[in-house]
Structures are given as C-alpha cells and as structure tokens.
Amino acid sequence: MYSIHFYENKTYVLNQAMRTIPAIDEKVRIKGRNGKVVDVQQMDENRYFVFVEFEVIVDRSKKVDSDPRKRRR
C-alpha cells in the first residue's frame, strides 16, 4: 500500500492509501471533480506526491447582463 497525497497547484486536496500509483496523464476523479495527473514525485519508500490539474467548472446559473445598471421590474 502506498500513501498518495494529491495536490492542485500548491493546495493540498486529498490523502489516500492506494495499491497502485497514478501515472502521468492519467485521468482521475477526486471529490467529484475530474482531473489529470501532471506530475508524480516519490518522497519516501511508500509516500508519493501527485500533482493534479482539475477541469475548470463553469457556473451557468449566473445570468450575464449586458447592462448592469438596467433594472428588472
């Protein structure tokens, strides 16, 4: 078993005990977010740091107004 520490940029995301080590360019799903492994670094015999780049989530619930001064009646 390996201790896998997931990071996004410099932000700690998750720590998991896994039997396999994720490979570079492998797709992963962490906490409901899809991402791609960018880099893998071995720290100890059983500890690895995995750097992940998540897909950008677009919030479509916000409405874009052409004129923010215009009020709805």
Side-chain angles (χ1 to χ4, degrees):
M1 293 290 272
Y2 301 104
S3 174
I4 310 293
H5 299 263
F6 290 98
Y7 288 90
E8 179 187 19
N9 297 331
K10 293 182 179 180
T11 306
Y12 177 75
V13 180
L14 177 71
N15 179 15
Q16 258 185 335
M18 300 175 71
R19 293 184 188 270
T20 60
I21 303 163
I24 295 176
D25 292 335
E26 182 179 334
K27 292 182 180 181
V28 293
R29 186 172 175 95
I30 301 172
K31 294 186 176 182
R33 298 173 64 192
N34 294 327
K36 185 177 175 184
V37 176
V38 178
D39 189 23
V40 178
Q41 294 179 357
Q42 182 177 4
M43 293 297 153
D44 290 335
E45 204 173 286
N46 296 343
R47 189 170 68 173
Y48 290 85
F49 285 1
V50 176
F51 295 93
V52 179
E53 182 177 311
F54 289 111
E55 293 178 0
V56 178
I57 299 172
V58 178
D59 188 14
R60 294 187 178 139
S61 65
K62 294 181 182 177
K63 191 173 183 181
V64 178
D65 294 330
S66 60
D67 190 9
R69 296 175 290 170
K70 194 179 212 180
R71 289 193 230 166
R72 295 177 67 177
R73 292 184 185 193

